[in-house]
Amino acid sequence: MKLACKRQRDDLRKSKRKDFRWHYDEYRANRFIKFHEGLPHVKDDFLGHAKHREKFHLEDWQCFIYCSIFGWVDKEKGFRRFNDAYVEVPRKNGKTPGAAAVLLYGLCCDGEYGAEIFAGASSKDQAAEVFDAARAMVLASPELRAAYKVWVNVNSLVIQEKNASFKKLKGKPVDGPAPHMVSADEYHEYPTNRLIEWARNGMVGRFQPLLFRITTAGTDTASPCYETHLEAQEVLEGRRKSDRFFTVIYTIDKGVDWKSKRALAMANPNLGVSVNPEQIQEDQFQARQSATKQAAFKTKNENIWLNAAQPWMNMERWDECYDADLRLEDFAGDPCIIGIDLASKKDTVSEALLFKRGFTSGRKDQEGNDLVEYHYYCFTRHYLNSEQVQEEKNTHFRDWKEKGFLIETEGTVTDYVTVTDDLVNDANNLIVRELVFDPLHAAPLVQFMQKRSEWPQNIEIVDLKQSEEHMSPSMKELEAAVLSKRFHHNGNECLTWMIGNTRCLINKKTENWFPVRENVQRKIDGTVAIVLGMNRLMTLELETYQSTEIRWV
C-alpha cells in the first residue's frame, strides 16, 4: 500500500511535465465516487448497513483505488490510463460490492455504445457473486433504473438504447464478444489464464477497456494469480515499468507477527467498517490454536501467500548500491573474475564481470592491525533469443533491450557466437584471471569458446558445481556487502529483476544458503553468475594502502 501511494505521488509530480503522457482528472475521479456512493448496500454486515437501507460511504483507501483507476487519463485523447487493475485485499473488505459498482459504472456511465460487461470467475457460483450484487443494487435503485433505462433480467442487465449488457461469465468463455469491462473475482482460484487472455484479446478494439482482478492471497505459487502478484510487486517497487497497470496489495509487512492485532489492522483496511473486529480477533485466536485453521486465516484474513519462498535480497538496499559513475573502462587495470550462467540454450545467458578492491577502514583489530574493508564492483550482460524477447507477454524484455540492459540474439535459441564474441573481447581488454561456470549447463558454451583462436589460453577455466557448499559463502557475502553498501552495480534493470526473483533456500541442518526461483518465468541467471564469480573472487587477496590505492598480490 505504501508503495502504491508513493507511485501515485510520483506520477502526480511527473504529470506536470510535458513529456508525461498522463493527467489526473479530479472530475473523472469524483464522478465514479459519486456514482458508487449513490448505490445501496444489498447484503448486511455487522453494522446492519443493508438493513437500514444505507448507501455506500467509501473509506479513504477505497477512494484511493477508484480515483486512481478512473481519474488518470491520456492528456491528448482523454481515455483512461489504466486498462488493467489488480487489487489484493483480504475477505470482507468490500471486494465484491466494489467490483459490482465498477462494472455497473462501465454499463451506465462510460458512454460506450455496445458495451459488453462481464462478471468473471473460475466457477459459475463465484461469477454470480459479483453479478448478483450488481443486480440487487439496480433492483434497489429505481432512480438508477430510470436515469439509465436499465432492464433487469434474471441473468443479465441491459440498456437497450446503448445496446449494452452486463452478464456473468465462468472460466471457459467462447470467442466472439468484445468486452468493455471484465472482473475476475477471487483470481487466486484460477487454474489457468484462459479467461484473462480471452478478455485481453477481445478488448483490443475498445476505447478504454478495463480488466479488474480482485482476490485474496492463495496457496498455489504456480498459479497465474501468484505470477501477477509478483509482477505487481515489481511494478510497485519500480523494477518493472507498466504505465497502464494499476495495483495495490494489502497484507502485513515483513517481520510483523501474524498473531498480533497490528497484523489485523495492517492487512484489513476496512477493519471496524465491514470487518467485525471481535469476530476476526476470535478467528485469529482459533487459528493460533489449530494448525489446520492457520492456512485459511493467513490467506483469507491477512493476505499472506503460503508455500511461497521469502524474498532474499533487501531491494531498497540493492537500489542504494547503484553507482551512476561506474564505468567498466575504469577497471581495465584490475584483475577480473567472470561468472557465467545459463539454464538452457532457449533461456537467458548471464555474464557477470566482477572486481574487488580493498580499503583501509580506519579501524584496527585487537592486535592493532588495520582492518580492511572489501568492496565489490559488478557489471553484467544478459542475452536472450528473439523468439522469447518478441513474445507478446514479454514487454519487460523488449523494454530492457531498448535501454541496453538485455542483448537480443537472432533465432529461437540464444546464440553462443554473440555471447562468446563479448567474452573474447573482455578477455583481450581486461585482466581476466578466471572464468567460472557450472558444468551442468554452461559446459557446451565454454567448450565452444575455448575452440576460438582469439581466446587467451592463460585464463583459468573453473568449473564450479552449483552446490550448497559452493554457493552459500558467496551468497552470504553478497547479501552482507549489499547491506553494508560495499557492493556496487551500474543499475542494469534486468539484473535487478533477477536479484528480486531470487529466493533463499536454507538448509536447517547446515544453515547453508542456496539460490532458487519460484518458477521458470522468474529468471535468476544473473544472480547465479554473480554468486559463482564471487566464490572465486573472495579468495583473491589484496594489498591495501591508506591512500586507498589498490594492489593485487
Side-chain angles (χ1 to χ4, degrees):
M1 178 59 191
K2 294 175 183 177
L3 292 175
C5 292
K6 181 180 182 299
R7 184 189 187 196
Q8 175 82 341
R9 290 194 299 269
D10 290 345
D11 286 351
L12 287 171
R13 284 192 292 268
K14 292 177 186 176
S15 67
K16 297 176 182 178
R17 303 196 321 241
K18 290 183 179 180
D19 63 341
F20 192 71
R21 180 180 177 184
W22 313 105
H23 162 69
Y24 183 73
D25 188 327
E26 290 187 15
Y27 171 78
R28 297 271 290 268
N30 290 331
R31 187 168 181 253
F32 175 82
I33 300 301
K34 290 179 180 178
F35 176 84
H36 194 328
E37 292 191 333
L39 297 172
H41 284 271
V42 293
K43 184 178 288 188
D44 243 340
D45 51 35
F46 78 102
L47 293 178
H49 287 118
K51 180 174 64 178
H52 298 120
R53 302 183 183 276
E54 294 180 19
K55 294 186 177 180
F56 282 94
H57 172 75
L58 299 182
E59 300 299 309
D60 290 346
W61 71 276
Q62 294 170 308
C63 290
F64 168 73
I65 292 174
Y66 300 127
C67 286
S68 296
I69 294 172
F70 290 96
W72 283 102
V73 297
D74 184 276
K75 287 180 180 178
E76 293 184 3
K77 299 180 181 179
F79 56 77
R80 276 193 299 271
R81 169 186 176 179
F82 294 115
N83 55 21
D84 189 356
Y86 175 80
V87 177
E88 200 175 290
V89 66
R91 65 193 299 267
K92 300 302 178 183
N93 279 274
K95 292 192 305 296
T96 297
V102 167
L103 298 186
L104 283 176
Y105 186 84
L107 176 72
C108 299
C109 303
D110 254 1
E112 186 91 2
Y113 188 83
E116 295 177 271
I117 314 292
F118 295 96
S122 60
S123 66
K124 185 176 180 181
D125 290 341
Q126 192 63 51
E129 286 287 322
V130 173
F131 174 80
D132 289 349
R135 183 175 181 273
M137 290 175 186
V138 175
L139 285 173
S141 305
E143 64 277 9
L144 183 145
R145 296 200 306 275
Y148 297 105
K149 300 180 180 178
V150 182
W151 287 37
V152 181
N153 302 310
V154 174
N155 293 311
S156 67
L157 302 173
V158 177
I159 300 179
Q160 288 188 334
E161 287 187 355
K162 296 181 179 179
N163 191 32
S165 63
F166 177 178
K167 302 175 182 177
K168 52 189 170 185
L169 180 73
K170 62 179 180 179
K172 296 182 179 180
V174 295
D175 292 336
H180 171 54
M181 283 189 182
V182 176
S183 70
D185 193 18
E186 296 301 354
Y187 184 39
H188 72 277
E189 295 180 354
Y190 285 47
T192 71
N193 247 352
R194 180 173 179 178
L195 185 144
I196 305 303
E197 291 168 358
W198 169 86
R200 284 175 172 158
N201 291 335
M203 287 176 171
V204 294
R206 289 293 184 178
F207 181 63
Q208 51 178 7
L210 178 62
L211 172 61
F212 190 56
R213 288 177 280 182
I214 51 175
T215 189
T216 63
T219 59
D220 184 2
T221 55
S223 67
C225 182
Y226 187 67
E227 179 66 20
T228 304
H229 169 86
L230 295 177
E231 291 175 3
Q233 286 184 325
E234 291 172 5
V235 170
L236 294 174
E237 292 168 358
R239 294 188 284 123
R240 177 188 287 237
K241 183 179 179 182
S242 188
D243 266 359
R244 305 202 66 184
F245 176 56
F246 172 82
T247 183
V248 63
I249 298 172
Y250 287 89
T251 185
I252 65 175
D253 288 344
K254 186 177 181 180
V256 174
D257 186 357
W258 72 271
K259 301 183 291 294
S260 66
K261 288 185 178 181
R262 183 186 176 199
L264 297 180
M266 186 174 290
N268 293 273
N270 244 24
L271 186 66
V273 179
S274 61
V275 178
N276 187 335
E278 292 184 5
Q279 183 60 54
I280 198 171
Q281 287 175 26
E282 173 61 23
D283 292 344
Q284 185 186 53
F285 175 79
Q286 293 297 329
R288 292 171 62 181
Q289 311 306 312
S290 170
T292 59
K293 295 180 179 179
Q294 281 186 22
F297 182 84
K298 287 180 178 179
T299 55
K300 304 306 178 189
N301 297 102
E302 292 187 349
N303 225 29
I304 301 171
W305 279 90
L306 299 185
N307 300 326
Q310 293 300 308
W312 165 53
M313 185 62 72
N314 182 321
M315 295 309 295
E316 289 185 11
R317 292 293 185 88
W318 172 265
D319 290 339
E320 291 172 0
C321 291
Y322 164 58
D323 186 347
D325 297 325
L326 214 57
R327 299 289 183 270
L328 184 58
E329 52 267 28
D330 294 336
F331 294 83
D334 292 53
C336 173
I337 299 291
I338 297 178
I340 191 165
D341 183 66
L342 70 160
S344 70
K345 289 192 70 174
K346 290 190 175 184
D347 209 343
T348 50
V349 175
S350 290
E351 172 192 355
L353 292 85
L354 298 163
F355 304 86
K356 181 171 75 168
R357 289 178 174 178
F359 300 88
T360 53
S361 63
R363 295 177 289 113
K364 296 183 181 295
D365 61 19
Q366 293 179 349
E367 298 177 356
N369 299 315
D370 289 329
L371 290 173
V372 179
E373 187 175 75
Y374 291 107
H375 285 240
Y376 302 93
Y377 303 84
C378 174
F379 303 85
T380 59
R381 298 191 188 98
H382 309 277
Y383 307 82
L384 188 60
N385 63 78
S386 58
E387 182 178 68
Q388 295 288 322
V389 172
Q390 298 305 323
E391 192 171 338
E392 183 179 357
K393 66 179 182 180
N394 292 332
T395 56
H396 52 309
F397 290 149
R398 292 191 291 277
D399 181 49
W400 294 332
K401 174 198 167 187
E402 292 300 318
K403 293 178 177 179
F405 298 133
L406 179 70
I407 299 168
E408 179 181 4
T409 69
E410 294 298 324
T412 59
V413 296
T414 304
D415 181 25
Y416 283 176
V417 174
T418 303
V419 178
T420 56
D421 279 347
D422 287 335
L423 284 171
V424 168
N425 183 65
D426 293 331
N428 286 284
N429 289 281
L430 298 170
I431 306 174
V432 179
R433 288 283 183 87
E434 297 178 354
L435 174 68
V436 189
F437 71 100
D438 177 2
L440 180 62
H441 295 297
L445 184 148
V446 173
Q447 292 167 3
F448 177 81
M449 181 191 61
Q450 286 181 297
K451 293 178 181 178
R452 297 185 57 159
S453 59
E454 315 97 304
W455 178 255
Q457 296 303 310
N458 64 327
I459 296 176
E460 185 176 356
I461 306 296
V462 180
D463 55 343
L464 195 69
K465 184 180 178 181
Q466 290 187 37
S467 64
E468 288 182 11
E469 181 183 1
H470 292 146
M471 305 293 274
S472 184
S474 48
M475 196 174 177
K476 290 178 179 179
E477 174 65 5
L478 173 56
E479 183 189 57
V482 168
L483 295 178
S484 60
K485 297 185 180 179
R486 295 183 291 110
F487 190 88
H488 309 268
H489 62 82
N490 62 349
N492 186 303
E493 293 179 10
C494 184
L495 173 63
T496 296
W497 175 68
M498 291 177 173
I499 293 290
N501 290 341
T502 307
R503 302 297 185 255
C504 182
L505 186 65
I506 301 176
N507 187 318
K508 294 182 179 180
K509 292 184 179 179
T510 64
E511 295 187 356
N512 282 333
W513 293 7
F514 192 80
V516 294
R517 60 183 179 179
E518 295 281 359
N519 54 55
V520 294
Q521 284 78 34
R522 319 302 299 182
K523 304 183 188 301
I524 64 170
D525 305 83
T527 305
V528 174
I530 293 173
V531 172
L532 287 172
M534 282 191 67
N535 176 279
R536 301 296 299 165
L537 191 64
M538 289 165 61
T539 66
L540 294 176
E541 296 181 358
L542 287 171
E543 182 181 347
T544 61
Y545 298 85
Q546 289 185 351
S547 64
T548 71
E549 181 183 359
I550 310 305
R551 300 289 185 192
W552 288 80
V553 296

